[in-house]
Amino acid sequence: MTSESPSSDPLPRDTDPEPVPADSVGTAARGDAGTAQADLPPPAGEPAPSAPSLPSGPLMLHMPVDVRNLSLALLALFAGVALLHWASAVFIPIMLSLLLTTALRPAVEGLWRLRVPRWLGAGVLLISLVSGLAVAGWSLSDGAAQLVESLPVAAKKVRDNIRAGSSQTSALNTVQQAATQIEQAASENTAATPARRGVQRVIVERPPFNIRDYLWSGTMGLVSALGQLTVVVFLTYFALSSGNLFRNKLLRIAGSSLERRKITIHVLEDITHQIQRYLLVQVFTSVLVGVATGLAYWALGLQNAAVWGAVAAVLNLAPYIGSALVTGASALVAFLQFGTIDMALAIGGSSLLIHTIVGNLLTPWLTSRASSMSPVAVFVSVLVWGWLWGLWGLLLGIPVMMAVKAVCDRVEDLRPVGELLGD
């Protein structure tokens, strides 16, 4: 019995040719034959095969659009916008109360953990907030009264400067004189034309400016604003003292399914966290505006620069309107103090520059980072809600859109809207 060594095999085992299936051989043969036939010219008398034709027009993307549902959605949107505008006196206090409740709820919950009842903690917080605002307004009332008393002096100085500047000969004065002469010639030509019989000439005279009318309308507006703020305070107190009552009601409304309740909790937490981050951004930017304004006014030599910084920080919470008030009032005070238009323009320009950088560049960027909304959506939201609700819309527009985005991200049919609002 003999044993063969591995070296005696004619071929190594790792180089043995693998068996090839018969069907693959046939396929390869058919493929080679097809390639060979494709390379051959067509027989005589038969037309050559034509290449596949491409569409001549532009490529179209076919999307199923239900015109009826789209029309109903647009009509519902327009009706909702009209309702928000018509019932703004009702919706604005409710939205302000929700915003204030979201901001103060962590403090009330912290006091509740320290064995302080919610009704007592909410009352203490609201009374402290209202008292602080009242004390701040009372402390600034003297400066406001001095500013009002100095308005006639400022008007007289502005009029004297304008007269002094208009007395100098310039190209603008020459053009103004030419325009006046042309207007006089046109009026003389019109007066020389005889009036037609039966036509009576009517002269419209403007009513004299009466400051009491504007003060009366402003007083009524102030009374209405105070009434709305009172409603906001009471709504906020009731919402804070009730604890998680409305949250539990929303969970019951969502249904008995565990998944639906979980989604509802995520939506409410997302809305709460985004609004709290937005309020932190507003506080940070207001402090930044106040510090920068105080330092700029101190460097330029304006009196009471620290007070102006505090006023700028508070009014920064009102977008655009607050910056305009600070710019105009500080420029007027600078004109009274220095007596030159150059310093007034320098003070007003520094305030305008600070508010432009912080309000139009830094604040939208920080808001988009805190709320996962794009800066374009933030800016458009401010414009739309400002047009809808005025000053209150400028303040409430971004939190409302944060809540809308949080809901759209959790609802399947509304996810495209959330994607448009997102960054």
Side-chain angles (χ1 to χ4, degrees), residues 245-290:
L245 177 63
F246 292 99
R247 180 178 180 180
N248 297 332
K249 288 181 178 294
L250 289 176
L251 291 179
R252 295 194 195 100
I253 294 173
S256 59
S257 174
L258 180 61
E259 183 179 0
R260 294 177 67 88
R261 291 194 172 190
K262 187 183 297 184
I263 292 175
T264 304
I265 292 175
H266 288 172
V267 170
L268 294 177
E269 290 180 351
D270 195 7
I271 292 174
T272 302
H273 293 162
Q274 288 193 14
I275 292 178
Q276 289 176 354
R277 289 196 296 266
Y278 167 73
L279 294 177
L280 289 176
V281 168
Q282 292 298 315
V283 171
F284 171 73
T285 53
S286 297
V287 171
L288 183 61
V289 167

Side-chain angles (χ1 to χ4, degrees), residues 331-389:
L332 181 60
V333 171
F335 182 75
L336 292 176
Q337 178 181 343
F338 299 103
T340 59
I341 297 181
D342 295 337
M343 288 303 299
L345 293 178
I347 295 293
S350 62
S351 174
L352 185 61
L353 179 62
I354 292 172
H355 282 91
T356 300
I357 294 175
V358 176
N360 295 336
L361 298 179
L362 184 61
T363 301
W365 181 75
L366 290 176
T367 304
S368 64
R369 298 282 294 180
S371 62
S372 299
M373 291 179 61
S374 64
V376 177
V378 171
F379 190 75
V380 173
S381 301
V382 170
L383 291 179
V384 172
W385 287 97
W387 165 77
L388 190 62
W389 283 349

Side-chain angles (χ1 to χ4, degrees), residues 403-419 421:
V404 171
K405 183 182 181 301
V407 174
C408 292
D409 289 339
R410 296 298 193 280
V411 178
E412 184 68 27
D413 295 336
L414 298 178
R415 279 191 176 181
V417 180
E419 184 66 25
L421 296 176

Side-chain angles (χ1 to χ4, degrees), residues 125-310:
L125 282 177
L126 289 175
I127 291 174
S128 302
L129 182 61
V130 173
S131 301
L133 292 176
V135 169
W138 181 263
S139 62
L140 295 175
S141 61
D142 295 337
Q146 293 177 2
L147 180 61
V148 172
E149 291 175 359
S150 61
L151 285 178
V153 181
K156 184 177 182 303
K157 285 188 176 182
V158 171
R159 184 181 59 186
D160 295 339
N161 288 339
I162 291 176
R163 286 181 178 179
S166 61
S167 62
Q168 300 176 359
T169 304
S170 60
L172 183 61
N173 294 332
T174 305
V175 174
Q176 180 64 38
Q177 292 177 2
T180 304
Q181 292 178 1
I182 292 175
E183 184 179 1
Q184 290 178 356
S187 61
E188 292 175 357
N189 188 18
T190 305
T193 304
R196 291 179 296 176
R197 181 176 299 178
V199 177
Q200 184 178 2
R201 186 177 181 181
V202 178
I203 300 177
V204 180
E205 295 184 357
R206 297 181 180 178
F209 177 78
N210 190 0
I211 190 63
R212 292 182 177 84
D213 297 337
Y214 291 91
L215 288 178
W216 174 254
S217 60
T219 303
M220 296 303 296
L222 181 60
V223 171
S224 176
L226 290 177
Q228 288 187 349
L229 290 178
T230 304
V231 174
V232 169
V233 171
F234 278 100
L235 283 176
T236 305
Y237 174 75
F238 293 141
L240 290 175
S241 60
S242 63
N244 297 324
L245 177 63
F246 292 99
R247 180 178 180 180
N248 297 332
K249 288 181 178 294
L250 289 176
L251 291 179
R252 295 194 195 100
I253 294 173
S256 59
S257 174
L258 180 61
E259 183 179 0
R260 294 177 67 88
R261 291 194 172 190
K262 187 183 297 184
I263 292 175
T264 304
I265 292 175
H266 288 172
V267 170
L268 294 177
E269 290 180 351
D270 195 7
I271 292 174
T272 302
H273 293 162
Q274 288 193 14
I275 292 178
Q276 289 176 354
R277 289 196 296 266
Y278 167 73
L279 294 177
L280 289 176
V281 168
Q282 292 298 315
V283 171
F284 171 73
T285 53
S286 297
V287 171
L288 183 61
V289 167
V291 172
T293 302
L295 292 176
Y297 287 179
W298 173 76
L300 292 173
L302 185 65
Q303 296 177 355
N304 300 323
V307 177
W308 281 108

Side-chain angles (χ1 to χ4, degrees), residues 6-19:
S7 60
S8 62
D9 292 339
L11 290 173
R13 294 183 182 274
D14 54 352
T15 59
D16 289 343
E18 296 181 358

